[in-house]
Amino acid sequence: MSRVVTFAAQDSWAVAPDGWVAVVRAAPYRVEWFPPSGPAIVGTAIAHQPIPVTERDKQAVRREFAAMMASAAPSATVNGKQVRPPSVEPEFAPTKPAATGRVILIDKRGQLWVERNQGAGATTALFDVIDRTGAVVDRVALPASLRVVGFDRNAIYATRTDENDVVHLQRFAFP
């Protein structure tokens, strides 16, 4: 049986409407761009300080997992009874990678937005905005309660879920 290591470094990717593919490498943290034709463009390593996984991070993951398991339907029937698998303690990496892997989007300017990892309880979500040479050209901070979902020529679109689980779509002007 294999186990997922929470906060393990892993590569992620995004595709632009014009066919370019951006691959965010976890180690070293950098971006490689693959145009529809021609050679790849490999960006230089992007500096970051490793963030230790704390007990607060672990508790947040355990809470999310417990909530997910509580709302999930039983996954097996044994002797006519619905049962859930036993809860297993997650395995954690000692440090978080630079990027979360959750938000990897390409905006209308062709720039990649990569959400950065932070410590548990952070009040903002930080994004590296990376051009097609692999260079960080901007860093954007948004409230941590928002999830970036898309872009148009002039705006960032994000969702926020309120205390009643109602999802609100919000629009912000580009910085």
Side-chain angles (χ1 to χ4, degrees), residues 2-136:
S2 65
R3 293 185 57 176
V4 173
V5 178
T6 305
F7 300 119
Q10 54 187 325
D11 295 347
S12 52
W13 55 273
V15 180
D18 60 3
W20 284 64
V21 176
V23 177
V24 179
R25 299 293 182 195
Y29 173 46
R30 71 169 190 258
V31 174
E32 296 175 11
W33 285 96
F34 295 87
S37 62
I41 299 165
V42 179
T44 59
I46 300 168
H48 73 282
Q49 291 294 324
I51 299 171
V53 174
T54 65
E55 190 56 37
R56 189 171 178 189
D57 292 312
K58 293 176 183 180
Q59 289 171 355
V61 168
R62 289 179 189 119
R63 275 192 307 274
E64 287 175 19
F65 184 74
M68 180 182 69
M69 290 304 290
S71 66
S75 60
T77 303
V78 177
N79 295 329
K81 267 186 152 176
Q82 297 284 329
V83 296
R84 295 183 199 277
S87 182
V88 177
E89 173 66 15
E91 188 174 334
F92 294 95
T95 60
K96 296 178 183 181
T100 66
R102 284 191 308 259
V103 177
I104 309 291
L105 295 171
I106 298 174
D107 67 22
K108 294 297 181 182
R109 299 174 293 190
Q111 296 175 328
L112 180 70
W113 285 53
V114 178
E115 185 179 16
R116 295 290 298 260
N117 259 314
Q118 298 185 82
T123 59
T124 59
L126 293 177
F127 298 86
D128 285 339
V129 181
I130 301 169
D131 70 11
R132 293 207 172 166
T133 69
V136 176

